[in-house]
Structures are given as structure tokens and as C-alpha cells.
Amino acid sequence: MTSSKRIFIIDDESDLTDLLRYQLKREGFKVEARNDPFSALSAARDFGPDLIVLDIMMPELDGYQLLRMFRSDNMLSETPVVMLTARASVEDRIKGLESGADDYLGKPFDAKELVLRIRAILKRVKEHAKTPDNRIALGNVTMNKDNHKVRIGGEEVPLAVTEFKLLDYFLKRKDRVQTRENLLFSVWKFDTEIETRTVDVHIRRLRKKMVDAELKIETVRGVGYRLVEKAG
């Protein structure tokens, strides 16, 4: 039930936060909002959100800076983040995803679309919590779903929710080629046409975190990706 799910909104436009608060409460979510980015971190920690909706273009402290703060905070590092911004170019979207966002929506946007994206992300998080096969080990990579931890060579490597889901998917399908479209459907749960570059951005982020792994995600040109053992 979404009634127990908590959404935290950060945007310097009070009209927008009022509208989103109203729309999301109608959908059964518990909602808290802040227009002052400087108070957002402490307020979010107090609220304990299941998902954060974050504006990018705010004075003095922008969304990218806040997102980095969330990702380095021990209470909010794994909380999914949807970024909202009037800067909706491909480059801006990629920058947001590379900074650790789970999704990106340009302004103006449709409130129904935002709700659908929020539900899709929360569904992914819920699936992680319910997966019975809770431990996977390949090479020097160990994944434990009970505590949402990944270790590479014994060292813990922090992964965002989508990165964790993506690695889980690859670990279960080692040596099998996965198309971008298949990854979008299976990992992101999107069955409509979404930017396939979203996959590329998350793969790039995951590769950086797997630099010490005995496994690698290789590009199969013109097709997609597959997880293989490193040579030697």
C-alpha cells in the first residue's frame, strides 16, 4: 500500500511544492516539502523518506550539490531520487543520472507521469526486499540482498538502488547478452519507449564501482551488454 510510503519534495517554488503535496497526498502518499535547500538535508533525515523529489535549479545550493550530500549521508544514501528541472536536455539528464539520481523529469511535467515513475521506483525497491535468493557470489563479487550490500574483494562498495538491481540482473545472467531495451524493461520496469541512454549512464556508473572486480560489464556493439570474467 502506498499509504505508508513517504515522499520528500525539495523545490524553491512554493506553488509547485504545494501542488505536488496535494497531488501525492491524493494518491495516498505521506508528503513533506521544503523550499529552502539549506534545511533540506536535516529535514529529510527527520522525515525518513522512501523517495525524494528534487529540483535542480535552486539559488546558492543546487540539486546536484544536494544529491551528492544525500548520497554521502548514511541515512539517505540509498533513498531513490527523482530529479525535476526545466533544464531537460540530454546532457542535463545524463548529468543528473551520473550524479546518482534514479530518474529525471523535465519541467513542465504531467503529475500523473511523476506518480507513475514514483510507483515504478518504489516497486523496484519492494522487490529487492522480498527476493528470497538473498546471496550471490561470483569471482570476488558478493551480493547480499538481506542487507543490500555488495562486496568486491572483501571491501564494501556502496550502490544506489538502481545500480544494485542492475548488478543483480547481470550476476544472474553471466555471459548472456542483454539489450538496452531488455534492461529497461527488466530493471526499470518500463515497457514504453524510454531513453536507452539511461541504461548507458547507469552502466558507466556501475563500471566505475566495479574497477577492482574480477568481473566486468562489456559492451556488445550494436546489441547491448554482458557480464563476463576479466581475462587473466
Side-chain angles (χ1 to χ4, degrees), residues 11-232:
D11 195 301
D12 61 329
E13 298 178 32
S14 58
D15 289 347
L16 180 60
T17 53
D18 288 346
L19 174 64
L20 290 180
R21 185 189 286 111
Y22 172 74
Q23 293 282 1
L24 291 170
K25 282 185 175 180
R26 281 185 58 188
E27 295 291 332
F29 294 102
K30 294 180 180 178
V31 186
E32 187 68 56
R34 285 291 183 277
N35 302 120
D36 174 19
F38 289 99
S39 67
L41 180 60
S42 60
R45 287 172 61 92
D46 291 340
F47 185 58
D50 295 289
L51 183 140
I52 296 169
V53 177
L54 175 62
D55 183 34
I56 290 180
M57 297 179 67
M58 294 181 288
E60 297 185 66
L61 185 63
D62 66 27
Y64 296 125
Q65 293 169 301
L66 264 177
L67 182 55
R68 286 193 292 271
M69 293 166 66
F70 292 146
R71 288 293 172 250
S72 63
D73 184 87
N74 61 351
M75 292 181 64
L76 301 169
S77 61
E78 296 177 0
T79 303
V81 174
V82 177
M83 301 194 89
L84 298 178
T85 182
R87 297 170 60 177
S89 70
V90 172
E91 291 75 17
D92 287 318
R93 292 176 62 185
I94 289 175
K95 182 178 179 181
L97 293 169
E98 286 183 326
S99 298
D102 294 85
D103 206 348
Y104 193 106
L105 196 57
K107 296 178 181 179
F109 60 88
D110 184 270
K112 290 182 180 178
E113 181 181 2
L114 175 62
V115 170
L116 286 174
R117 290 182 183 234
I118 287 173
R119 290 192 191 281
I121 292 172
L122 292 175
K123 182 180 179 182
R124 295 204 303 270
V125 174
K126 184 178 180 180
E127 285 173 352
H128 276 301
K130 288 193 169 183
T131 304
D133 183 18
N134 62 2
R135 190 176 183 275
I136 303 174
L138 279 175
N140 66 343
V141 179
T142 303
M143 170 179 283
N144 189 326
K145 294 185 182 179
D146 284 341
N147 56 17
H148 200 275
K149 292 185 184 298
V150 171
R151 293 184 178 276
I152 296 177
E155 295 293 323
E156 185 178 334
V157 178
L159 297 182
V161 171
T162 303
E163 295 166 354
F164 190 93
K165 179 75 170 177
L166 191 59
L167 179 58
D168 178 32
Y169 193 79
F170 275 117
L171 288 172
K172 291 177 178 177
R173 294 160 181 83
K174 180 174 169 284
D175 296 321
R176 290 163 55 184
V177 177
Q178 306 296 328
T179 66
R180 292 173 176 82
E181 291 76 14
N182 182 50
L183 289 169
L184 276 172
F185 178 77
S186 302
V187 176
W188 279 261
K189 305 301 181 185
F190 292 145
D191 56 0
T192 55
E193 185 140 354
I194 304 294
E195 278 276 354
T196 54
R197 289 188 70 177
T198 296
V199 176
D200 299 331
V201 170
H202 282 81
I203 292 286
R204 188 157 61 245
R205 281 165 44 184
L206 188 53
R207 278 173 169 165
K208 289 179 181 178
K209 296 182 178 183
M210 292 181 65
V211 65
D212 295 323
E214 295 173 354
L215 307 168
K216 68 176 181 178
I217 300 171
E218 70 174 15
T219 302
V220 181
R221 296 201 177 278
V223 183
Y225 300 96
R226 68 180 164 200
L227 183 73
V228 298
E229 293 182 15
K230 290 180 179 176

